[in-house]
Structures are given as C-alpha cells and as structure tokens.
Amino acid sequence: MIEPVLEFKRVSFDYKSEPLKDRVPILEDINFSVNDGEFISIIGPSGCGKSTIFRLITGLEEPGAGKIYRKGQQAIDRLGRVGYMPQQDLLMPWRTVFENAMLPLEIKGIKQNEAEEHVLKLLMDFGLKGSEKAYPGDLSGGMRQRLSFLRTILSGSNILLLDEPFSSLDAITRLTMQEWLLDQWQKLSKTILFITHDVDEALFLSDRIFVLSQKPNSLIKEVKVPLGRPRRVRDLGNLDVITLKEALIDELRPRTAT
Amino acid sequence: MKNLNSYYSSLLVFGFLLIWEAGARAYNKSFILPAPSEIALTLWELRSVLVLHHLPPTFLVIFIGLVLSILIGTGLAIWMNGNKVAEKTFYPIIIASQTIPIIALAPIFVLWFGYTIWSKVAVTVLITFFPITVSAFDGLRSSDKNLKELLLTMGASKKDLFFKLYVPSALPSFFSGLKVAVTLSVIGAAIGEWLGAQAGLGYFSRRMMTQFDGAAVFAPIVLLSAVGILLFLLVTWLEKTLLKWRKTG
C-alpha cells in the first residue's frame, strides 16, 4: 500500500486568542489524505478555513485537536518542510529577481555557488532569464507570480501549497499561467495543493477537488475530476465536467433559509 | 523637472541675498546687519583659522554625537521591536523626552562633563537621538507580517528574520530619520560650544558677537550650514546607493 504524503486525521482548529464563549471552530473534524504526485484543489466559500488548512500544514498554526501526518508519521515540527506560495506574491521589493529566488536557499544554508547555479538554471526554465537584475517593481503580474512560484519550488520541498496564486491576474494571463503550472507540475513531479474559489480553475487543474462547506460543519467532500491528462481548456466543455461543475456550484452557494 | 526646481530655488536665494545686500548697505551698521558680500569677504580672510582651527573640533563633536546617537538609537529601537515590555517602558519616555527644552538643559551638561568635548557631544546626542530612534523603530515595525510568516515557513531562524526582513524593511524609514538627525547635529554641536569651549565654529561665532564683528559672526555660521548640507547630501547619496530598488518602485 502506498503511504499518503500528507494526511489530516480528525483535525479541528479555532483561534485561541478569542475568549472561550465566542470561539467558533474554523475547522471541525477534517479528514483527508494526499498521495504523492497528486494535484489537489481545495475550494469553498470565503471564510470557510481554506487558508487555515495551509497554515496548519506549514506549521504556522497548531491543530486544536487531531493529528497531521507526513509520509505516515505524525508531523510535529512542520516549519520549513513544505513550499508555501501565499496569495499575494510577497516578493521582497529590495531584492532583485535573482536575490528573491535565492532567499529559500540562503535560509537553508546552501553553499553560495551551488545555490547560484541552481537558481540561474531555473530562472531560465521559468522565462525570467534576462530579468534577474530587475526589481520586482519592474515585473508584470505574470512574471511576479512565476518568480513567487519559483521561490516556492526552491524551498526544495516535495509538497507545494499554492494559495489562490492567480486570483489577481487578468483572465488571459491567468489561463496562460494555469497551463504553465500544469506543465511545471508534470516536469517537476511535485505534489500540489491548490486553493481557489474558481470552480473552472479547480476542474482544469486537479486530480481531486476537496470541497469545504460553510461553517460550522466544515466537512470535506471529495470529488474526482473525470478528465485524463494532458488536458486542454476545451475539455471543460465535456458533459461530465459540466454536470460536475453545476453540482459543485450548488454545493458552494450559501443555503438560503427557506 | 528636477533641474527646473533647483533653478527656481536658486533664483529665490539669489533674490533674497540681493535684497539683503541692498538693505544692509542702506542701513550701514555692519555690526548688526553685515552685508552678504562682507560675510563672504570675512569668510575668505578667516579661511585658514576657521577651516584648520575651528572646523575640526566642531566636526569631531558632530561625528561622535551622530555615531553615539545611531548606536544608542538603533540599539534601543531593536530592543523595543523585539521586546514588548521594553517598548511599553521606553517608547512613551522617548516621546515625552521631546517636551524637555534640551537647549535650556544644556548648561547642566557643563556641570556634569565640564568644558570637555563630552558636554558638547551630550547636547548633540540629546538632539539627534530622537529622530533616529523613532524612525528606526517605526521602520522595524513596518515590516510585513505576511512576509515574516512566509520566511518562517521556509524555516527561517530569528537571525534570518532580523537580517533578511527587519533590517531591509527599516532602512527607508531609518534614512529619513538620519537626514533629520544630521542637520540637527550641526545645531547641537554649535549650541554645545556656546556653553564654553576653546575652539569650534559655534564658539568662534559667539566670541565675535562680543566683539561686535557682525560679518565674523555670520562667517562660521555659513561654514556650519555647509557642513550640514554636505552631511545631508552624504546621507542622501548613501540612501540612493543602498536603496536602489526604491527608484524603480
């Protein structure tokens, strides 16, 4: 049996800073597992705790109850173990493209020449060659996201967490970036968890989709995307996919009290 | 556009000097209101005494004062940024300390430090300390919380956070404070010297006052402002070199 690379078992979470009586659980009894090399999307209405799942995986937060496993072992010390790409690109404005990409390697304490060589090669692959001395302020939105993704990859981790990375891009750039991301994912053989609020995006990119419903019963529902690989955008016109999309949208729509 | 701006301000200064010149000549009491041409002439006549004898001690006061201010100010700012208790203790005191009329307090330093260089340095430090501390502290505090969390997810240590995030975030604000501080440092050194000194531009200016030599009062002041302007330009240059990215932003 293949062991999942990441597993949540009965994980609950609430913000401890609030007084006990006001505490609303952000996540309750969450179970899921992610296999090696999978592309998983997490969708859900805003405020349902999607980003909190990422904060738990990265180790920025500790679960109130339940356990997180990595490769079958309970993961206690989690900081610095997964690549996390936040919603805003969060590039350092005072560092050049090259220096921004170097950041995770500096923190890992990798030797200077070794790191530089590695970064230069990846800058080429990511279409950022020639801009390595530019500052993030000079880059287009798509380039910034590519650099942010490059930095995430350079964390060296097998698991990448991407939090709505393309939400601020225009429709065309976004499509290009989605295709590009799939391309990179296949080349690099990484495991990706991808947060989005866009059902189309989730269907186009993922193997499986985790659906989080509105609080308080934040139960995860799993959906397998009925599409093979490689994919094209027009595959989204497939009848199975359209039916699935409608079902998902129904799921996400806030229920009116009738 | 920038050249045009400095063109306008030069024109204004030139016009002002012209009116001063005319006014001073009409008034014709050079011990009260010396003409700019007279000041320039005196400055030229006294050049070796002023530059070789009186500028070095003043410059030393400014230099030591600024270095101490930067050390104490940034040190305190770093401490306050890392320690909530330190922040709650010192921040209000630092703000309140600015309501103390430092110039009025200056004579007491002579009591404490005598007529040594340290009484002048103390005045300079007291004046320049505030902008440096507050700007460094605000700069440190302005660092992006999301960026901090991102660095933590990369496994950053406290040292990584400090050097890779806090320091670069604080630099723009720190330089703004430093620009204010260098101009103030000249004032601090001059006031310090009024209290009692054997040499120095502030001391010389005051001594000439007692001799009713108006032009010789102004001449060292011209030199003092030149020092202030040069220091300001030096900081601006440093800022531009270290913060290249800001031009593009």
Side-chain angles (χ1 to χ4, degrees), chain A residues 3 32 41 48 60 65 67 70 72 94 99 102 124 138 140 157 161 174 186 203 225 235 243 246-247 253:
Chain A
E3 225 143 52
F32 67 78
S41 285
C48 69
L60 288 171
K67 283 174 182 138
R70 200 174 42 235
W94 56 83
E99 289 164 344
M102 287 285 284
M124 183 97 91
D138 300 328
S140 67
S157 164
L161 311 177
R174 189 170 181 177
Q186 263 147 358
L203 286 167
V225 178
D235 294 342
T243 322
E246 274 164 10
R253 195 166 286 171

Side-chain angles (χ1 to χ4, degrees), chain B:
Chain B
M1 195 61 213
K2 215 184 156 196
N3 286 333
L4 210 63
N5 280 342
S6 61
Y7 170 74
Y8 282 131
S9 48
S10 317
L11 204 70
L12 181 70
V13 171
F14 187 71
F16 172 74
L17 287 175
L18 219 63
I19 294 169
W20 181 358
E21 182 79 36
R25 284 184 188 208
Y27 189 52
N28 200 21
K29 284 195 181 93
S30 91
F31 63 95
I32 292 176
L33 187 67
S37 59
E38 264 181 281
I39 296 169
L41 205 67
T42 312
L43 188 60
W44 183 247
E45 279 166 3
L46 295 173
R47 63 186 183 280
S48 66
V49 177
L50 284 180
V51 173
L52 295 179
H53 188 63
H54 292 290
L55 182 62
T58 308
F59 195 76
L60 195 64
V61 169
I62 291 173
F63 182 75
I64 296 176
L66 275 176
V67 168
L68 282 179
S69 267
I70 291 171
L71 288 179
I72 301 170
T74 51
L76 196 59
I78 290 165
W79 190 22
M80 287 196 299
N81 187 53
N83 186 325
K84 268 266 167 286
V85 178
E87 181 193 339
K88 290 218 165 89
T89 314
F90 289 111
Y91 200 68
I93 295 175
I94 291 167
I95 301 287
S97 78
Q98 287 310 293
T99 59
I100 302 170
I102 294 160
I103 299 171
L105 206 67
I108 201 113
F109 292 132
V110 178
L111 267 177
W112 293 348
F113 299 107
Y115 290 110
T116 62
I117 189 172
W118 297 108
S119 56
K120 291 128 208 149
V121 168
V123 178
T124 311
V125 168
L126 218 58
I127 286 187
T128 55
F129 165 76
F130 180 73
I132 288 175
T133 313
V134 170
S135 67
F137 180 61
D138 285 348
L140 288 169
R141 253 199 327 196
S142 75
S143 63
D144 191 336
K145 296 275 174 301
N146 294 317
L147 209 43
K148 179 185 162 192
E149 289 190 342
L150 180 68
L151 268 100
L152 285 174
T153 68
M154 294 178 184
S157 61
K158 279 217 159 106
K159 195 179 133 207
D160 286 329
L161 283 179
F162 182 74
F163 286 109
K164 296 187 198 302
L165 177 63
Y166 295 153
V167 170
S169 309
L171 277 181
S173 168
F174 171 74
F175 272 112
S176 306
L178 192 58
K179 279 190 213 164
V180 177
V182 293
T183 47
L184 287 177
S185 70
V186 178
I187 302 176
I191 292 173
E193 286 171 1
W194 287 355
L195 302 172
Q198 284 87 44
L201 293 171
Y203 152 80
F204 185 80
S205 172
R206 196 169 158 72
R207 202 182 73 187
M208 288 303 119
M209 194 111 76
T210 60
Q211 299 181 6
F212 290 100
D213 187 346
V217 170
F218 275 98
I221 290 172
V222 172
L223 217 52
L224 274 174
S225 13
V227 170
I229 289 168
L230 278 177
L231 283 172
F232 185 86
L233 290 177
L234 180 73
V235 174
T236 312
W237 173 80
L238 251 177
E239 184 188 23
K240 280 210 176 117
T241 322
L242 284 173
L243 307 179
K244 266 195 216 115
W245 58 275
R246 281 222 297 187
K247 274 190 298 194
T248 59

Side-chain angles (χ1 to χ4, degrees), chain A residues 184-254:
Chain A
Q184 292 299 327
W185 167 63
Q186 263 147 358
K187 252 194 245 167
L188 300 161
S189 60
K190 302 265 184 189
T191 309
I192 292 184
L193 268 80
F194 189 98
I195 287 181
T196 179
H197 55 247
D198 182 341
V199 178
D200 278 329
E201 190 171 56
L203 286 167
F204 179 50
L205 294 173
S206 5
D207 296 318
R208 284 189 293 156
I209 300 176
F210 294 167
V211 187
L212 280 174
S213 53
Q214 200 93 41
K215 280 184 287 185
N217 50 336
S218 300
L219 286 169
I220 275 191
K221 192 181 155 205
E222 260 184 59
V223 177
K224 219 173 151 51
V225 178
L227 282 176
R229 306 227 182 235
R231 289 176 191 174
R232 289 162 187 280
V233 186
R234 73 169 84 93
D235 294 342
L236 291 178
N238 189 315
L239 194 64
D240 285 351
V241 179
I242 292 176
T243 322
L244 181 56
K245 180 182 168 182
E246 274 164 10
L248 284 173
I249 288 174
D250 276 346
E251 196 97 35
L252 293 174
R253 195 166 286 171

